[in-house]
Amino acid sequence: MKYYIPAIGISLMSLTGLSQEKVSIRPDKFIDPANMDKSFSPGDDFYNYASGNWLKNNPVPAKETRWGSFNQLRDFNAEAVKSILEDVSSRKGLQSGSAEQRVGDFFASAMDTVTIEKLGSTPIQADLKRIDQIKDTKGLVSEMAYLRTQGLASALYGFSVGQDRKNVTENVVNLSQGGTTLPDRDYYLVDNKRNEQIKAAYEKYVETLFTLSGIKPAQAKAYFGIVWEMESILAKAQWSRVEMRDPYRTYNKFSLAQLEKKTPNLHWATTFGDLGIDAPDSVLVNNPDFMAAASELLSTKSLQDWKVYLKWNLLKNASGSLSTPFVDASFAFNQVLTGQKVMTPRWQRTFSTIDRNIGDLLGQLYVAKYFKPEAKERMVQLVKNLSDTFEERIKTLDWMSDETKQRALEKLHAFTPKIGYPDKWKDYEGLVINRNDYFGNLRRASQWSYQYMIAQLGKPVDKTRWGMTPPTVNAYYSPVNNEIAFPAGILQFPFFDFDADDAVNYGGIGAVIGHEMTHGFDDQGRQYGADGNLKDWWTKEDADKFKALADKVVEQYNAYTVLDTVHVNGKLTLGENLADLGGLAMAYAAFKKTPQGQSNELIDGFTPDQRFFLSWAQVWRMNTLPETAAQLILTDPHAPSTARTLGPLVNMDAWYQAFDIKPGDKLYKPESERIRIW
């Protein structure tokens, strides 16, 4: 799952999975008829039937780009964390190096606008001057490595240390396509009115930042031409987001000699040293064509052009952390991209920054104050219920052979659930946070994270690590670790509540659990084995049957549109759509085992099945700014909220029965055409 959630204008009550110290966004009724618009028929427009009045009464706030259940909960969590940040930043005499001291001083430094304004561009001036002194291509490549080690910029290509997908117990060097600023390569390569507007805003952004750094306006204008030309060349060499979803296509192992031959101008023999590691025997490259094009560009563009490109990467990365003119320029560009009306408050941006940089320190404070152990215990049981249900469904699949079923069950049984927060926290040993040095704190935190990352090279993979922090309103599945994770932040209404009936919890967090489990068997996840390794464990006949079913899902979602005419990319969103389809079906089957699921007792006028599907719908209700919708259709592997709500439902017989959906209704899909996979 890769979304966020919010809610306003509802009564505040005591909480769900979080402690009583924190109020809840839970309303008086878990399924509130006041949020529905019953002028719509559920068979014609279930999205508005379930949430129409809520959508009318909850426009996107000026500081947001979209507003729905995820955003409400994210906003609510941010307010909870704010109380922690304000508390620890105001305390005196905290032990040096403690979580409280470092979180508090980081927050204080970020809120010290007087010092930040005085400094202007001073924090990066020495770096800009160092770039000016580069004398040759080797110096350029060395500087790129230096900027990366300092967390100042990730120019030209991506570098990381992570698991080898075909040998997941090993950490290896990974190189990836990159080098561009705009959210997708289509912004450079596709000529249309919106992209022209974004290019004009980008030009102003580049010129403004260069001018603020001390460059004359006329020169800054020329610099944009250099940046645009170089990034356009790199964009052309990038593979599309759909192509990048193929785990085999993006698995390309090179020996050091092979890599140097393919990309000679990147001088890997010395560059790896500059990156702080010994030259590895082999390297994984996700797009060899891109790396070759990047190497060639180093020989075809002048040294001066490359200096401009490196300076731009430094400026854009630092701008949000410098004085107001830099921050305003970044926001002005973001406004054109997303349509956001006003800047997110500084304290909230700071929370996100601290969460990204020292998330385990902040997470410790968040969990200690707000997370209830009972929530973890309840989630353990829910995960088991969903797992048992998944097992039963696999065993009864009519399209899969016994041989593949056995391997699917082996993978399911090997799932590792993570709930709430890590068993072992990062301690950030040696990281100094200074109350009077915001940019320095950012730089030191980035340096620490980089050193932590490269230190994993040659070490056994640490499977206790999490991919999200505890306050995060989200969940994830990791194919290489074969694990599902649910941070503390999502274990709240509308996903989960101790006092809610099972229909609400199974339609909310139950569907989320099922979603993450199904990711292990979606078009990407199914290609990884029980041990996490990328390998084919399917019979050819079963794989062909799965692909045929998946193609039907692609076709279904291709037909959905946003902004009236812009179609959903069914191939880009396939993995998430398969997870929604399987997750909701799994959650419903598990719900039907509960006493409520087997009853017909009405609550607020709704049957148990109706409440289950309405719970699902209220999780995915969302208002989105048109500019953001246009961007997300290119970049987001999730379908828009309307499609996410309706897509699984029209394939579930139980939904038709719950709301008496008949032939002739706009959403009606003949039973023979309903897609059933898991």
Side-chain angles (χ1 to χ4, degrees):
M1 226 166 65
K2 301 275 170 77
Y3 267 94
Y4 294 107
I5 306 185
I8 63 172
I10 50 182
S11 62
L12 300 177
M13 304 172 66
S14 62
L15 203 64
T16 56
L18 302 192
S19 79
Q20 297 289 324
E21 294 182 52
K22 182 181 172 189
V23 293
S24 169
I25 63 169
R26 186 219 296 173
D28 291 327
K29 295 181 178 180
F30 293 112
I31 302 295
D32 192 344
N35 288 328
M36 303 169 65
D37 187 344
K38 294 184 180 179
S39 67
F40 290 92
S41 162
D44 288 338
D45 187 346
F46 189 75
Y47 185 71
N48 275 294
Y49 169 79
S51 303
N53 285 337
W54 187 95
L55 293 166
K56 292 175 190 173
N57 296 328
N58 289 272
V60 180
K63 71 180 181 70
E64 301 286 343
T65 60
R66 45 185 173 168
W67 195 247
S69 296
F70 273 94
N71 309 88
Q72 287 179 309
L73 187 47
R74 182 200 64 193
D75 220 47
F76 175 67
N77 270 1
E79 289 284 354
V81 172
K82 182 183 181 184
S83 69
I84 295 174
L85 296 172
E86 291 178 338
D87 174 42
V88 294
S89 66
S90 65
R91 284 198 229 164
K92 306 295 183 183
L94 291 171
Q95 181 181 348
S96 179
S98 66
E100 290 85 353
Q101 177 267 311
R102 288 188 284 183
V103 169
D105 284 356
F106 208 144
F107 183 70
S109 71
M111 300 302 289
D112 182 7
T113 55
V114 173
T115 299
I116 292 170
E117 296 303 323
K118 282 182 181 178
L119 288 171
S121 65
T122 302
I124 59 169
Q125 281 300 327
D127 300 294
L128 292 169
K129 290 176 182 176
R130 190 184 59 257
I131 292 172
D132 274 329
Q133 294 166 3
I134 296 172
K135 294 181 171 55
D136 53 29
T137 303
K138 283 189 175 181
L140 279 170
V141 175
S142 179
E143 177 63 22
M144 289 179 196
Y146 177 77
L147 291 171
R148 191 171 274 104
T149 65
Q150 301 297 297
L152 293 172
S154 183
L156 189 59
Y157 61 89
F159 165 82
S160 63
V161 172
Q163 285 166 273
D164 184 335
R165 279 175 279 164
K166 291 188 177 180
N167 184 11
V168 296
T169 62
E170 299 285 334
N171 284 308
V172 296
V173 171
N174 290 265
L175 300 174
S176 56
Q177 68 180 32
T180 51
T181 301
L182 299 182
D184 189 82
R185 68 174 195 163
D186 279 9
Y187 288 108
Y188 299 90
L189 306 180
V190 177
D191 186 16
N192 58 41
K193 185 176 180 181
R194 172 161 169 77
N195 287 356
E196 288 174 5
Q197 293 172 338
I198 289 171
K199 181 181 178 181
Y202 186 33
E203 180 174 10
K204 183 176 181 181
Y205 181 36
V206 173
E207 292 174 11
T208 301
L209 291 195
F210 271 115
T211 302
L212 290 171
S213 73
I215 301 298
K216 292 182 179 179
Q219 190 65 56
K221 189 172 186 65
Y223 282 1
F224 170 74
I226 294 169
V227 170
W228 181 261
E229 183 178 1
M230 293 179 73
E231 291 192 351
S232 296
I233 292 170
L234 294 172
K236 191 173 182 180
Q238 292 175 356
W239 290 342
S240 72
R241 289 176 183 268
V242 171
E243 291 170 316
M244 293 298 289
R245 293 190 73 251
D246 186 335
Y248 282 98
R249 180 171 185 175
T250 55
Y251 186 95
N252 304 282
K253 186 169 280 191
F254 287 79
S255 68
L256 183 58
Q258 290 171 327
L259 183 65
E260 289 185 319
K261 183 177 180 180
K262 191 170 186 67
T263 58
N265 296 318
L266 286 161
H267 305 288
W268 294 110
T270 54
T271 296
F272 283 126
D274 292 333
L275 288 166
I277 62 173
D278 294 331
D281 295 331
S282 60
V283 176
L284 286 177
V285 180
N286 72 357
N287 180 351
D289 296 339
F290 175 86
M291 295 304 296
S295 175
E296 183 180 359
L297 195 60
L298 281 162
S299 64
T300 57
K301 288 297 177 184
S302 70
L303 182 65
Q304 182 56 38
D305 285 356
W306 275 106
K307 289 181 181 181
V308 170
Y309 175 78
L310 287 190
K311 286 182 178 180
W312 168 242
N313 277 270
L314 173 61
L315 282 166
K316 72 180 182 185
N317 196 53
S319 61
S321 308
L322 298 174
S323 57
T324 296
F326 286 91
V327 175
D328 287 347
S330 294
F331 178 68
F333 175 55
N334 186 61
Q335 277 187 302
V336 177
L337 280 176
T338 67
Q340 185 174 341
K341 301 297 187 295
V342 301
M343 200 179 302
T344 305
R346 186 175 190 90
W347 72 263
Q348 197 165 348
R349 287 181 279 132
T350 299
F351 152 53
S352 298
T353 299
I354 294 174
D355 194 41
R356 283 195 306 271
N357 282 278
I358 52 172
D360 273 27
L361 297 182
L362 178 60
Q364 291 175 54
L365 304 182
Y366 174 82
V367 167
K369 186 170 184 179
Y370 293 130
F371 192 64
K372 294 169 70 174
E374 303 95 287
K376 189 166 187 172
E377 294 168 10
R378 176 64 173 138
M379 276 294 291
V380 169
Q381 186 60 49
L382 285 168
V383 168
K384 184 182 185 304
N385 294 350
L386 267 293
S387 181
D388 290 346
T389 300
F390 207 155
E391 178 175 348
E392 294 166 6
R393 292 176 71 85
I394 288 173
K395 289 178 178 178
T396 59
L397 291 175
D398 59 7
W399 59 268
M400 182 181 280
S401 69
D402 289 342
E403 181 181 350
T404 305
K405 283 181 182 178
Q406 184 58 39
R407 292 173 184 162
L409 291 172
E410 289 173 5
K411 180 169 186 177
L412 178 66
H413 295 156
F415 272 16
T416 299
K418 293 181 174 179
I419 299 168
Y421 54 90
D423 293 327
K424 181 174 72 175
W425 299 98
K426 284 184 192 175
D427 60 10
Y428 304 89
E429 183 179 1
L431 174 59
V432 175
I433 300 298
N434 188 321
R435 192 175 185 87
N436 304 307
D437 185 14
Y438 178 49
F439 199 86
N441 290 336
L442 290 170
R443 189 163 183 164
R444 287 187 293 274
S446 295
Q447 290 168 348
W448 190 95
S449 294
Y450 181 85
Q451 292 300 319
Y452 179 83
M453 177 186 72
I454 63 172
Q456 307 308 310
L457 192 61
K459 290 182 179 178
V461 170
D462 181 1
K463 291 195 173 184
T464 68
R465 294 168 61 191
W466 278 56
M468 291 178 179
T469 61
T472 305
V473 182
N474 215 326
Y476 70 87
Y477 169 76
S478 167
V480 290
N481 288 326
N482 199 24
E483 68 184 21
I484 51 176
F486 308 95
I490 199 172
L491 303 182
Q492 304 172 70
F493 181 82
F495 297 96
F496 172 72
D497 193 296
F498 281 119
D499 297 326
D501 52 301
D502 282 329
V504 170
N505 279 334
Y506 276 89
I509 200 66
V512 172
I513 295 168
H515 174 106
E516 301 308 337
M517 286 183 171
T518 308
H519 267 315
F521 303 92
D522 68 17
D523 65 307
Q524 290 177 303
R526 76 170 191 86
Q527 300 183 73
Y528 295 81
D531 59 3
N533 284 314
L534 184 61
K535 59 186 177 185
D536 189 0
W537 48 271
W538 293 61
T539 66
K540 184 182 184 305
E541 183 179 5
D542 289 340
D544 288 344
K545 288 179 180 177
F546 175 87
K547 290 173 185 175
L549 290 168
D551 285 344
K552 291 183 179 180
V553 176
V554 171
E555 184 180 359
Q556 175 186 333
Y557 282 82
N558 277 341
Y560 294 123
T561 59
V562 295
L563 306 177
D564 297 328
T565 59
V566 180
H567 282 263
V568 173
N569 186 335
K571 289 185 177 180
L572 176 62
T573 59
L574 178 58
E576 298 298 335
N577 297 335
L578 289 170
D580 281 346
L581 182 61
L584 190 62
M586 218 74 59
Y588 178 77
F591 166 60
K592 295 305 286 184
K593 298 177 185 178
T594 68
Q596 184 190 18
Q598 296 171 14
S599 77
N600 291 309
E601 181 185 355
L602 297 179
I603 301 177
D604 294 328
F606 301 111
T607 68
D609 278 18
Q610 287 175 334
R611 290 177 68 78
F612 173 87
F613 291 115
L614 288 168
S615 176
W616 164 260
Q618 76 178 1
V619 163
W620 294 113
R621 62 195 181 197
M622 178 85 69
N623 281 313
T624 304
L625 297 178
E627 297 89 344
T628 294
Q631 178 180 323
L632 292 176
I633 211 73
L634 286 177
T635 61
D636 194 347
H638 303 81
S641 57
T642 307
R644 290 202 78 171
T645 301
L646 301 178
L649 298 181
V650 298
N651 293 300
M652 294 182 64
D653 296 346
W655 174 72
Y656 288 84
Q657 295 162 8
F659 292 95
D660 195 27
I661 312 300
K662 302 289 188 183
D665 292 336
K666 292 178 182 177
L667 294 176
Y668 183 84
K669 193 174 185 179
E671 189 172 352
S672 62
E673 296 178 13
R674 296 171 196 169
I675 306 167
R676 301 172 179 87
I677 303 180
W678 298 107

